[in-house]
Amino acid sequence: MQTVSRVKEMQVLAKKMWKQDKTIVLVPTMGFLHPGHLSLMHEGKRRGDMLVISIFVNPTQFGAGEDFEEYPRDMERDQKMAHEAGVDVIFAPPAAEMYPSGYQTYVTVEQVTQGLCGISRPDHFKGVTTVVCKLFTIVTPHVAIFGEKDFQQLVAIRQMVADLNLAIEIVGMPIYREEDGLAMSSRNKYLTPPERKAAVCIIKSLKRAKALFDSGEREGKKISREVKNSIEAEPLSRIDYIKICNANDLKDIDQITQRAVLAVAVNVGKTRLIDNIIFDPSGGSAG
Ligand code: AMP
C-alpha cells in the first residue's frame, strides 16, 4: 500500500492502471476510519483491481462555526486499518494541493441539495460535489463507493454524475451500525458517555417508524409525528429535521406510495448526527 499526497503522482498512478486495463475503485473519506468505512472498502476490493481511498478533510464542505478544526484526524491509525483492508493507495492531499491559491471553480447540484441538510448547512453540498468531482478527475475511477448514511450526499453525487456524463458507476452501501443501532460516524467520538447513551433515541425512533410502516401505515405525517415524539422524549436531543421524501429526487411526499427515505438530523449535545431508513412499498423497508 502506498500513500500519495500529490495530485500529479496520483494521476500518473491512475494512468498506469488504465493502460494496464485495471479497474480502479475509489472510496472517498474524511479519515478517522471506522467499520462503516471498512464495509465500503471490502465492497471496493470485490469490485475492482486497484482500491484507492481518499482521506481528505475537505474545508469547503464545512460552514463557518462548524467542526473543521476539531474533526478527528489520525493518519497513522487510518493507514494501518486501510492496509489491513487491502487498500492499494491512500490519496491524502494537503488542502493547498486541492485548493491552491486563486482556486475559483465549484460544482453545484441545484435541487436535491436544497432541503434536509441543505437548510442548516447551505454551502455543504457545494463543497462535497466540488471535492468529489475533483477526486473523480484525479483518480479517474471506474467505480466509486459511498455510504447510504449520507443519503442526500449520495443522491447529489448520482445527480452530478448523470448531469456531467461522468462514466463512473456509483455504488451505495447500507448503513453500518454499532451494536445498539447507532449509525457509525467519525463524529460519534465527540459524544460524552451520557450523550452516547442518549443518541440511541435516533435508531429507536427509526425502528418505531419501520414498525408503523410494516404494519401498513403510509401517511408520512403520522410516521414523522411518532419519530418526533420518540426523539423528543430524550432530553439531550434536539431535532434539526425529520423528513420523508422520495428516495430518488428527495421531493417531499405525503403518502408513501413509492420508495421513500425517512431522514433525520438530530443534535445530541453539541454533536449533529444524521440517520435514515428506506421505505419500499414494493418490498418492505431497510436501512
Ligand atoms: P466520511 O468519512 O464520514 O465523509 O464518510 C466517507 C464515506 O463513508 C461516505 O460515503 C459515508 O457515507 C460513508 N460512511 C460513513 N459512515 C458510514 C456508516 N456508518 N455506514 C456506511 N457508510 C458510512
Side-chain angles (χ1 to χ4, degrees):
M1 187 185 79
Q2 50 184 320
T3 303
V4 172
S5 59
R6 297 285 157 219
V7 167
K8 190 82 219 156
E9 193 186 341
M10 186 64 239
Q11 285 173 319
V12 169
L13 258 175
K15 241 186 205 151
K16 207 165 102 190
M17 288 300 126
W18 272 85
K19 267 202 189 129
Q20 294 173 11
D21 235 3
K22 303 269 196 224
T23 303
I24 304 175
V25 181
L26 172 65
V27 177
T29 82
M30 296 205 299
F32 207 69
L33 302 178
H34 55 66
H37 295 119
L38 295 180
S39 71
L40 273 52
M41 293 176 207
H42 293 141
E43 181 64 14
K45 266 326 266 178
R46 225 176 51 75
R47 286 181 178 259
D49 307 308
M50 173 160 126
L51 177 58
V52 180
I53 70 164
S54 56
I55 295 183
F56 182 60
V57 184
N58 174 35
T60 64
Q61 70 189 66
F62 289 79
E66 288 187 357
D67 57 341
F68 175 69
E69 299 294 339
E70 303 93 71
Y71 197 86
R73 295 158 168 93
D74 190 340
M75 185 52 100
E76 228 172 85
R77 178 175 160 277
D78 285 352
Q79 280 173 318
K80 193 166 172 284
M81 287 172 77
H83 178 67
E84 282 165 12
V87 168
D88 298 293
V89 179
I90 298 179
F91 177 52
E97 186 75 5
M98 294 295 271
Y99 302 109
S101 80
Y103 187 89
Q104 51 190 291
T105 302
Y106 294 88
V107 178
T108 309
V109 175
E110 297 195 349
Q111 287 163 27
V112 299
T113 60
Q114 293 297 307
L116 305 175
C117 291
I119 294 171
S120 54
R121 307 188 74 192
D123 287 326
H124 171 67
F125 290 108
K126 177 180 163 192
V128 168
T129 43
T130 297
V131 81
V132 170
C133 190
K134 282 171 69 68
L135 290 168
F136 284 175
T137 60
I138 295 164
V139 178
T140 61
H142 300 74
V143 180
I145 306 184
F146 296 86
E148 286 178 353
K149 182 173 95 66
D150 301 271
F151 197 85
Q152 190 175 14
Q153 165 174 291
L154 178 57
V155 171
I157 286 162
R158 285 194 197 283
Q159 187 69 45
M160 173 182 80
V161 164
D163 289 350
L164 297 182
N165 310 104
L166 303 177
I168 300 169
E169 183 189 354
I170 302 299
V171 176
M173 291 294 289
I175 302 176
Y176 202 91
R177 298 180 180 281
E178 301 281 357
E179 225 162 79
D180 63 5
L182 178 67
M184 289 203 180
S185 163
S186 307
R187 287 193 169 98
N188 292 350
K189 181 185 167 24
Y190 298 147
L191 299 168
T192 62
E195 288 167 355
R196 173 63 187 81
K197 266 195 197 149
V200 179
C201 72
I202 301 172
I203 185 62
K204 267 197 193 152
S205 74
L206 295 183
K207 281 189 177 154
R208 174 87 191 106
K210 178 177 161 24
L212 277 173
F213 178 81
D214 288 346
S215 70
E217 183 59 65
R218 293 293 180 269
E219 200 177 316
K221 265 196 194 133
K222 276 197 188 150
I223 296 180
S224 299
R225 200 180 313 127
E226 283 288 330
V227 172
K228 181 170 180 282
N229 291 341
S230 169
I231 295 175
E232 279 178 346
E234 172 46 64
L236 289 178
S237 72
R238 193 165 40 82
I239 295 167
D240 177 356
Y241 65 77
I242 298 167
K243 275 272 177 197
I244 299 182
C245 333
N246 179 303
N248 295 322
D249 58 18
L250 301 186
K251 287 195 175 134
D252 282 353
I253 53 171
D254 296 326
Q255 292 290 323
I256 306 171
T257 51
Q258 334 134 24
R259 200 168 162 268
V261 60
L262 162 57
V264 301
V266 178
N267 290 289
V268 179
K270 285 193 185 126
T271 306
R272 188 173 178 280
L273 302 173
I274 57 171
D275 204 339
N276 67 77
I277 185 173
I278 301 292
F279 297 130
D280 190 348
S282 67
S285 61

